[in-house]
């Protein structure tokens, strides 16, 4: 019979397991395993205390200290402690099969105590690596081992995409959690210092294609522990105080702060000295013109996916830190510091050494928009937490240097100072003492204003850069086409060099453009979030003036006037940009934007900048159904009450106001702006409800805004058509030069290049001017049919007649054949269509001429009127198939004009020599209704001065201010003129 195996006592079992964990021996001076260390001193101490040579939990700590204090240990102290923790975890699993529950509970408790002890000493050693002896070969600090553990802990099979998947060294189960969960912040501070430095270095100069996702998950994991979150925001590199020669504070915070390194990760191009790897442009978009569309689409999808992983991760990081009272303030300080140190990014040209990269600020834009999401739905209770006083009184961001909506910096300062004095007096009153004061703002308020600034410096700047990049690319492609055309006619070494240079530039621009497209333009979610934010901005701004209603209060509230202009400018830019991206506006509610635009586009007392108001029209222009490609946008114009009531009126008003922008380029700018207004007005004319509003305005304000609108429309038509026709003659000369191959070849390559550049430049000018001229003449045609009365007013009729006569002379006169060019459609020059419209305007005005004044006005034009032009035009119209009724009415008008000319000559003969005092001082014609100018005291014909005042509100003789209501009827002179006419007629009868 076999001898039963002796049963071990619980204490013996505990001793065996703890010795396995700590790898020590108390009884055997020469253990079989060389990793086991004999602790002679501890054994002697136990014997002297009459205790058995067993390792029990009450002696664990002295054993551990003795083991760690061993000279020349086989392992570094931290590595030993981690390995011991791993063995403890293994033993914990093994005892699960123990049958005796009381023994199992005792042993389990001992193992838990061992693990706590190991974690405690691991923290001590990690923070102070020199506390215990290390092997001579030991080099890496404990924090390096912890960092490896962290990377392994968050590893994913997908990480191979961005680079190496790690060393494979993993921490024992539960070690990291135990290490960080209940640690003491002060004692672990040195660990955090090194750990976060390593984390920052691991993503330094990494692009969107690099391995940033594991470090990002490590960051997320760490800040899940309160002491680690505290360690992050108190790290010297949280807001670095470092400074570098030649590198400004904006770039410094990006390249030296912990979060800056993560925010730098991007697909967008950066300045060469700060470029990240792998190069996204070269890897994904090199020689893009020859790539398959599927390859490009795959690259776009990859970049969008990884960048959204970055946005989500960094958003979680900031949100977690913001939720804790211990870290929230530090996060807000960091964001404010990044914004303030990068205010230079708002300039036209960004200094890459002074300012952070566009990639960082696009990333920050995406993250800030995520933080705003809870209040982007426009919930009233949340919007009410956005306090306009933040702009003037907050201690984080400086808004003083920003252009205000409608107040000068001096006005803002005076108003804020006055308001502060009043608020201080209220706060210091006895009633206020119990309620407290100060300027604490809610997170919603801070987040709103910080996001507005970040978007201005980030996403909106990126969209602007993309636009300029596309323009540079188009310019290079146009130049390359020109150079290649010149090479076909005979090249030169210099020309070949220029072609190679341009091909390199085009490749670079193409790569950069596609990088922007991948990270920004194709990220529909990013653009929709930005649109939602700016919808909140405009709703909040409208709240400052009393809500969505018209007309606006006569006085602009100072809160609105002092708000930064870029809040609205950025909103409009984003709307224009997204309107041009297919499907970007799908299912997005634009009503609030439309309300805002209608309220403010014709309100200079609210929005001072005329270019910003013009930008609002550009937005509407993009939304026209035929341009947007979205049928839903038609409801914005055709079923929106504020639009039906005010849109046409405000467009007409802005058309007039934009004559004077205050800019040195106002003369040329106004044509582009009016082009957008004209296109929109033409669309609205075809919407019956808007046309009815238009006709009502023309009746009610015939002598007001409508007459001013008509005046500038005629001014522009004359200038643009005249310029276009003159430039066409220049083009013909250049065409003749180029087509004369013998003479052309004799010119030097440089001269040929200069002439070709001039030719293309003239082509662009003609195309633009002609397009605008066609629009203006078209508008005169369709408005004159329904609203002829304003064209027949005394101050307008002669001017309109002169304009039409001049156009008729150009189109059917002797010099018309000189206007023929090789490809007129290329320049939008359609002389037949233009002639039809000019003739229609003549006929429309004549049909509304109940007093028969129009034929006389036509014949009075001594510069361009020629009775033969009417018959010449009629002949052409018959050939090109104009409506027979129009031609007949036009011929009849020509006959009336001829008769009026005869009558005018007879009347002139009757009057003889007219005294100078009866002649208008500008036109030198007999005055019909003389008025006195109050400042210069000169008498002038009312129609002449009224015509002048339509374009210029000054006395033409001394430039003093003058309006129509200031004119003084010259009753005495009028009577003298009437007497003179009567006497001359009597003289004729007596002859």
């Amino acid at each position: 019979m076999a001898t039963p195996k002796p049963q071990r006592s619980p204490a013996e079992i505990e001793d065996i397991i703890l010795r396995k964990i700590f790898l020590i021996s108390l009884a055997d001076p020469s253990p079989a395993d060389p990793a086991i260390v004999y602790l002679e001193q501890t054994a002697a101490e136990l014997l002297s205390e009459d205790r058995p040579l067993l390792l029990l939990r009450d002696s664990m700590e002295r054993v551990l200290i003795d083991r760690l204090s061993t000279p020349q240990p086989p392992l570094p102290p931290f590595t030993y402690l981690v390995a011991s923790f791993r063995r403890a975890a293994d033993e914990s699993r093994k005892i699960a099969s123990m049958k005796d529950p009381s023994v199992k509970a005792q042993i389990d408790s001992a193992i838990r105590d061992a693990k706590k002890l190991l974690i405690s000493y691991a923290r001590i050693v990690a923070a102070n690596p020199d506390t215990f002896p290390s092997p001579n070969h030991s080099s890496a600090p404990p924090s390096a081992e912890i960092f490896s553990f962290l990377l392994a802990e968050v590893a994913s099979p997908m990480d191979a995409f961005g680079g190496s998947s790690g060393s494979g060294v993993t921490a024992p189960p539960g070690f990291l959690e135990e290490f960080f969960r209940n640690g003491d912040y002060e004692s672990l501070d040195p660990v955090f210092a090194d750990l976060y430095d390593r984390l920052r270095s691991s993503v330094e100069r990494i692009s969107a294609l690099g391995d940033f996702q594991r470090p990002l998950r490590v960051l997320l994991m760490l800040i899940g522990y309160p002491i680690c979150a505290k360690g992050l925001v108190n790290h010297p590199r949280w807001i670095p105080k470092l400074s570098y020669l030649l590198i400004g504070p904006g770039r410094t915070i990006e390249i030296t702060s912990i979060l800056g390194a993560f925010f730098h990760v991007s697909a967008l191009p950066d300045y060469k000295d700060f470029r990240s790897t792998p190069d996204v442009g070269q890897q994904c978009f090199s020689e893009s013109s020859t790539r398959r569309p599927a390859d490009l689409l795959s690259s776009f999808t990859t970049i969008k996916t990884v960048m959204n992983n970055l946005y989500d991760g960094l958003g979680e990081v900031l949100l977690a830190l913001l939720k804790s009272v211990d870290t929230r303030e530090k996060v807000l300080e960091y964001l404010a510091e990044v914004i303030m140190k990068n205010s230079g990014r708002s300039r036209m040209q960004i200094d890459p050494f002074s300012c952070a990269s566009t990639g960082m600020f696009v990333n920050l834009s995406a993250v800030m928009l995520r933080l705003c999401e809870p209040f982007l739905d426009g919930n009233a209770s949340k919007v009410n937490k956005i306090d306009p006083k933040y702009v003037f009184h907050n201690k984080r961001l400086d808004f003083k240097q920003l252009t205000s909506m409608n107040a000068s910096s001096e006005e803002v300062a005076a108003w804020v100072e006055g308001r502060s004095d009043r608020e201080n007096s209220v706060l210091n009153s006895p009633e206020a003492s119990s309620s407290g004061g100060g300027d604490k703002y809610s997170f919603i308020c801070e987040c709103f204003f910080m996001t507005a600034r970040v978007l201005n410096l980030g996403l909106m700047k990126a969209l602007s850069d993309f636009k300029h990049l596309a323009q540079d690319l188009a310019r290079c492609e146009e130049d390359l086409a020109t150079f290649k055309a010149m090479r076909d006619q005979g090249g030169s070494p210099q020309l070949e060099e220029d072609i190679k240079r341009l091909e390199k530039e085009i490749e670079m621009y193409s790569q950069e453009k596609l990088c922007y497209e991948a990270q920004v333009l194709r990220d529909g979610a990013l653009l929709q979030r930005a649109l939602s934010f700016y919808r909140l901005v405009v709703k909040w701004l409208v709240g400052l003036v009393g809500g969505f209603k018209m007309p606006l209060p006569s006085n602009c509230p100072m809160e609105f006037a002092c708000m930064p202009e870029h809040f609205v400018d950025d909103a409009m830019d984003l709307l224009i940009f997204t309107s041009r991206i297919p499907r970007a506006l799908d299912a997005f509610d634009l009503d609030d934007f439309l309300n805002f635009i209608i309220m403010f586009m014709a309100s200079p007392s609210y929005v001072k900048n005329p270019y910003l108001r013009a930008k609002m029209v550009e937005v509407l222009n993009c939304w026209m159904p035929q341009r947007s490609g979205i049928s839903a946008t038609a409801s914005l114009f055709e079923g929106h009450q504020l639009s039906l009531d005010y849109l046409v009126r405000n467009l007409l008003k802005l058309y007039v106001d934009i004559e004077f922008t205050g800019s040195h380029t106002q003369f040329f700018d106004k044509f582009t702006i009016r082009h957008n207004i004209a296109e929109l007005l033409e669309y609205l004319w075809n919407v019956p409800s808007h046309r009815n509003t238009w006709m009502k305005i023309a009746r009610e304000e015939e002598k007001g805004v409508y007459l001013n609108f008509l005046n500038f429309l005629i001014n522009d038509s004359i200038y643009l058509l005249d310029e276009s026709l003159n430039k066409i003659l220049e083009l013909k000369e250049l065409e003749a030069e180029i087509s004369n191959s013998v003479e052309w070849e004799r010119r030097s390559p440089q001269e040929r290049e200069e002439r070709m550049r001039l030719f293309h430049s003239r082509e662009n000018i003609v195309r633009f001017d002609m397009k605008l001229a066609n629009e203006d003449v078209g508008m005169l045609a369709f408005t004159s049919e329904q609203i002829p009365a304003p064209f027949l007013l005394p101050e307008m009729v002669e001017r309109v007649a002169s304009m039409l006569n001049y156009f008729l002379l150009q189109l059917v006169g002797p010099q018309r054949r000189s206007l023929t060019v090789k490809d007129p459609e290329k320049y939008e020059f359609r002389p037949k269509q233009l002639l039809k419209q000019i003739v229609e305007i003549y006929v429309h005005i004549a049909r509304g001429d109940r007093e028969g004044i129009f034929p006389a006005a036509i014949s009075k034009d001594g510069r361009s009127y020629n009775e033969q032009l009417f018959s010449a035009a009629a002949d052409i119209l018959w050939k090109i198939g104009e409506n027979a009724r129009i031609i007949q009415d036009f011929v009849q008008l020509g006959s009336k004009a001829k008769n009026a000319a005869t009558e005018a000559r007879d009347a002139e003969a009757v009057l003889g020599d007219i005294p100078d005092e009866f002649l208008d001082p500008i036109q030198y014609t007999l005055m019909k209704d003389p008025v006195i100018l109050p400042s210069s005291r000169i008498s002038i014909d009312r129609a002449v001065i009224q015509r002048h005042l339509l374009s210029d509100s000054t006395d033409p003789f001394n430039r003093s201010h003058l309006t129509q209501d200031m004119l003084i009827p010259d009753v005495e002179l009028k009577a003298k003129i009437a007497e003179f006419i009567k006497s001359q007629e009597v003289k004729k009868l007596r002859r």
Side-chain angles (χ1 to χ4, degrees), residues 817-891:
R817 298 195 186 282
S818 63
L819 295 173
T820 54
V821 283
K822 283 181 182 174
D823 186 4
E825 193 63 37
K826 181 180 177 183
Y827 310 118
E828 307 214 15
F829 179 44
R830 308 177 189 102
K832 293 175 184 176
Q833 172 69 16
L834 209 50
L835 178 61
K836 286 173 77 170
Q837 288 180 319
I838 296 297
V839 168
E840 283 167 8
I841 298 168
Y842 271 116
V843 171
H844 293 158
I845 297 172
R847 287 174 179 173
D849 181 19
R850 289 183 170 78
E851 297 179 17
I853 60 172
F854 190 42
I858 292 171
S859 64
K860 197 179 287 186
D861 171 25
R863 186 180 69 153
S864 303
Y865 171 69
N866 184 332
E867 60 188 62
Q868 295 172 352
L869 295 175
F870 282 76
S871 56
D875 290 342
I876 295 172
L877 291 172
W878 284 116
K879 289 175 185 175
I880 63 177
E882 174 60 291
N883 179 285
R885 174 76 191 281
I886 292 280
I887 299 174
Q888 288 163 6
D889 287 357
F890 178 65
V891 171

Side-chain angles (χ1 to χ4, degrees), residues 553-567:
S554 53
N555 293 321
C556 176
M558 280 301 286
E559 282 88 349
F560 183 92
C562 295
M563 281 301 129
E565 182 184 274
H566 80 71
F567 285 14

Side-chain angles (χ1 to χ4, degrees), residues 501-512:
R501 173 182 55 79
L502 280 169
E503 286 173 341
K504 281 184 182 176
E505 282 185 28
I506 287 170
E507 173 64 16
M508 180 192 73
Y509 284 142
S510 297
Q511 287 184 21
E512 292 186 356

Side-chain angles (χ1 to χ4, degrees), residues 708-724:
N708 281 310
F709 160 71
L710 209 56
N711 174 64
F712 288 124
L713 182 60
I714 290 168
N715 281 356
D716 291 355
S717 301
I718 294 169
Y719 173 80
L720 290 166
L721 200 54
D722 200 32
E723 279 290 294
S724 302

Side-chain angles (χ1 to χ4, degrees), residues 638-883:
E638 298 170 24
H640 190 287
Q641 198 55 51
L642 210 60
S643 169
L644 295 171
D645 291 343
Y646 289 97
L647 185 52
V648 170
R649 180 184 304 275
N650 288 351
L651 286 169
L652 295 173
K653 186 175 183 300
L654 185 59
Y655 193 99
V656 173
D657 290 346
I658 214 70
E659 179 73 12
F660 306 106
T661 64
S663 164
H664 67 284
T665 59
Q666 67 182 13
F667 180 76
F668 300 102
D669 294 340
K670 71 178 180 182
F671 293 119
T672 304
I673 296 165
R674 284 179 177 160
H675 161 62
N676 288 325
I677 298 174
E679 285 194 321
L680 195 53
L681 283 171
E682 185 175 351
Y683 162 66
L684 296 175
W685 180 262
N686 293 309
V687 178
S689 48
H690 282 294
R691 187 190 305 174
N692 292 336
T693 302
W694 190 328
M695 293 169 72
K696 183 182 176 187
I697 293 167
R699 282 195 308 272
E700 293 175 355
E701 301 187 35
E702 188 180 79
K703 291 278 189 141
V705 70
Y706 196 74
L707 193 59
N708 281 310
F709 160 71
L710 209 56
N711 174 64
F712 288 124
L713 182 60
I714 290 168
N715 281 356
D716 291 355
S717 301
I718 294 169
Y719 173 80
L720 290 166
L721 200 54
D722 200 32
E723 279 290 294
S724 302
L725 297 178
N726 286 332
K727 290 286 189 305
I728 283 173
L729 294 175
E730 289 182 34
L731 272 180
K732 282 199 68 177
E733 290 178 15
L734 287 166
E735 274 184 352
E737 275 185 38
I738 295 166
S739 59
N740 186 342
S741 55
V742 176
E743 288 297 322
W744 183 253
E745 290 299 325
R746 286 178 183 163
R747 295 173 183 261
S748 67
Q750 184 178 355
E751 191 180 356
R752 287 205 300 264
E753 183 182 332
E754 287 173 1
R755 299 302 285 173
M756 285 293 286
R757 281 189 182 279
L758 179 64
F759 179 66
H760 287 306
S761 168
R762 289 288 181 269
E763 280 190 316
N764 290 334
I765 293 170
V766 169
R767 195 179 297 119
F768 180 75
D769 286 354
M770 204 73 233
K771 181 178 174 62
L772 269 58
N774 288 335
E775 278 173 0
D776 288 354
V777 172
M779 200 181 309
L780 288 169
F782 66 69
T783 54
S784 61
E785 182 176 18
Q786 300 285 333
I787 317 169
F791 293 91
L792 292 161
L793 291 169
E795 56 267 46
M796 289 298 292
V797 67
E798 291 182 13
R799 185 132 178 286
V800 172
S802 297
M803 173 192 75
L804 295 172
N805 290 344
Y806 175 69
F807 290 163
L808 199 63
L809 176 65
Q810 298 297 319
L811 295 170
V812 302
Q815 73 278 29
R816 75 175 187 275
R817 298 195 186 282
S818 63
L819 295 173
T820 54
V821 283
K822 283 181 182 174
D823 186 4
E825 193 63 37
K826 181 180 177 183
Y827 310 118
E828 307 214 15
F829 179 44
R830 308 177 189 102
K832 293 175 184 176
Q833 172 69 16
L834 209 50
L835 178 61
K836 286 173 77 170
Q837 288 180 319
I838 296 297
V839 168
E840 283 167 8
I841 298 168
Y842 271 116
V843 171
H844 293 158
I845 297 172
R847 287 174 179 173
D849 181 19
R850 289 183 170 78
E851 297 179 17
I853 60 172
F854 190 42
I858 292 171
S859 64
K860 197 179 287 186
D861 171 25
R863 186 180 69 153
S864 303
Y865 171 69
N866 184 332
E867 60 188 62
Q868 295 172 352
L869 295 175
F870 282 76
S871 56
D875 290 342
I876 295 172
L877 291 172
W878 284 116
K879 289 175 185 175
I880 63 177
E882 174 60 291
N883 179 285

Side-chain angles (χ1 to χ4, degrees), residues 118-130:
L118 289 165
I119 287 290
S120 176
Y121 274 84
R123 291 191 192 114
I124 292 169
V125 171
N128 305 280
D130 297 331

Side-chain angles (χ1 to χ4, degrees), residues 430-486:
E431 293 84 358
S433 60
S434 59
S435 61
D439 50 8
K440 291 287 283 181
Y441 297 99
S442 70
F443 171 69
I444 287 176
C445 182
E446 298 229 41
C447 189
F448 174 82
F449 287 105
M450 285 187 174
T451 303
R453 291 295 297 129
V454 167
L455 288 173
N456 176 251
L457 302 172
L459 178 63
M460 300 315 302
K461 189 65 181 168
L463 294 179
S464 172
D465 289 347
F466 174 82
K467 178 181 163 187
H468 291 128
L469 194 56
Q471 289 170 347
D472 288 341
L473 178 59
R475 175 184 51 77
C476 283
E477 288 174 336
E478 189 176 318
D479 286 350
L480 183 63
T482 301
F483 286 176
K484 284 185 173 179
M486 290 169 61

